Amino acid sequence: LTFDVNRRPPTNVTCNVDSVMFSIPDEDLSREVLVSENPIRVRVIVAVRMRQGGDYQCTVSNDAPNGNTAMSQPITVTVTDTPTNLTAMRTGLYQGIVSWSPPVSDDPAVLGYEVFYDLPNGTRLSVEDNSLMITLSIDSVLSHPVFVVAFGGDLPSSPNTGTLQEAVSIDITPSSTLPVGSDITVSCEVNITIAVTRAQVVWADQDFNPLNTT
């Protein structure tokens, strides 16, 4: 919030949401003198952390030296509520599905969602979507933090956070190789740690040509 006051008397900023009132500490107000006249105009900037969805009403008042109190008209800021039930699941080495549910409150109404995800190199990407599920194509098998925010009010919601798990880790330990005619029987122990609900194992030669297997 940004507003101008005359001189520099104590400035009080109070806000309320859902009938719960809170005040902004004076140390959170940043002041800048704009015009060196009489009276001096001062621009005040304050950061209000609006993490809860709803309609915020904020009022500014000044206690002047003469004992009078000047009060502004309320400023209303609508903040979108946070999406719920976020899930992130791998569907392949380089693909995953992120799904979520609408916010508990529909005031203000949700107009869409934005999904953010972090790459291993620190780059943050985002995709906007109006549905409740999105498929992500990711160029890494490592885990990725994901964030979903809703927008529709003056300000978007706080993020709902999750993690798209690491895709797959496979350890194969051969135990025996026995030639039987033109066929080869191979037995081994395969330990798979995987973040999806289904896995398909295909045997192939060194050139990645699939082999007939049972």
Side-chain angles (χ1 to χ4, degrees):
L1 303 178
T2 302
F3 51 89
D4 295 349
V5 296
N6 292 331
R7 295 191 176 88
R8 189 178 170 175
T11 303
N12 307 307
V13 181
T14 57
C15 300
N16 74 77
V17 57
D18 294 338
S19 300
V20 177
M21 183 169 292
F22 60 95
S23 299
I24 310 300
D26 188 71
E27 56 267 22
D28 286 352
L29 303 181
S30 174
R31 296 176 173 87
E32 175 189 3
V33 176
L34 297 179
V35 182
S36 295
E37 297 177 350
N38 191 12
I40 299 175
R41 286 181 57 218
V42 179
R43 173 150 296 172
V44 182
I45 300 175
V46 56
V48 183
R49 293 171 178 83
M50 299 176 173
R51 301 189 182 278
Q52 175 184 338
D55 293 339
Y56 287 75
Q57 289 192 336
C58 296
T59 303
V60 180
S61 63
N62 279 329
D63 297 329
N66 59 9
N68 295 327
T69 298
M71 181 172 294
S72 71
Q73 293 295 320
I75 303 170
T76 301
V77 180
T78 59
V79 180
T80 316
D81 202 9
T82 305
T84 59
N85 301 325
L86 173 65
T87 61
M89 183 180 67
R90 286 274 185 177
T91 56
L93 287 179
Y94 304 107
Q95 196 173 65
I97 290 179
V98 180
S99 62
W100 59 93
S101 300
V104 174
S105 172
D106 59 357
D107 183 20
V110 175
L111 299 181
Y113 301 90
E114 190 165 6
V115 180
F116 298 84
Y117 58 100
D118 291 345
L119 300 181
N121 62 6
T123 302
R124 176 164 292 180
L125 304 177
S126 69
V127 180
E128 290 190 13
D129 197 88
N130 291 327
S131 66
L132 298 176
M133 184 178 69
I134 191 170
T135 299
L136 297 179
S137 297
I138 300 176
D139 60 354
S140 171
V141 298
L142 301 177
S143 62
H144 296 268
V146 293
F147 314 85
V148 178
V149 300
F151 55 87
D154 297 323
L155 297 176
S157 70
S158 296
N160 194 337
T161 62
T163 302
L164 195 63
Q165 298 292 339
E166 183 178 359
V168 65
S169 175
I170 302 177
D171 295 323
I172 300 179
T173 305
S175 58
S176 63
T177 302
L178 300 174
V180 181
S182 60
D183 297 329
I184 296 178
T185 300
V186 178
S187 62
C188 61
E189 180 180 344
V190 181
N191 296 316
I192 302 177
T193 302
I194 193 166
V196 298
T197 57
R198 185 183 61 166
Q200 181 180 10
V201 178
V202 178
W203 298 100
D205 61 20
Q206 62 184 5
D207 295 321
F208 300 100
N209 297 310
L211 300 176
N212 293 325
T213 59
T214 58

